[in-house]
Amino acid sequence: MRFLDVKTDFAFKKAFGSQQSKPGLIDFSLYVISNCGLAAETPA
């Protein structure tokens, strides 16, 4: 099975540019933000 290279504009738009992929893109974005140290820290 071959996969699209999402680093190209065409493949990125195919994977994330439709309304059907919106929930998956939101979930992926939230996962990356919360697990890669990008979430805002609250001051103590």
Side-chain angles (χ1 to χ4, degrees):
M1 179 189 322
R2 295 187 67 182
F3 295 99
L4 291 174
D5 182 7
V6 294
K7 293 179 280 186
T8 64
D9 188 51
F10 172 77
F12 187 86
K13 286 180 181 177
K14 275 298 215 187
F16 301 115
S18 68
Q19 283 292 78
Q20 292 114 346
S21 65
K22 191 173 183 177
L25 181 58
I26 291 171
D27 289 342
F28 175 72
S29 299
L30 292 174
Y31 175 82
V32 168
I33 290 169
S34 64
N35 290 303
C36 293
L38 300 174
E41 298 284 331
T42 55

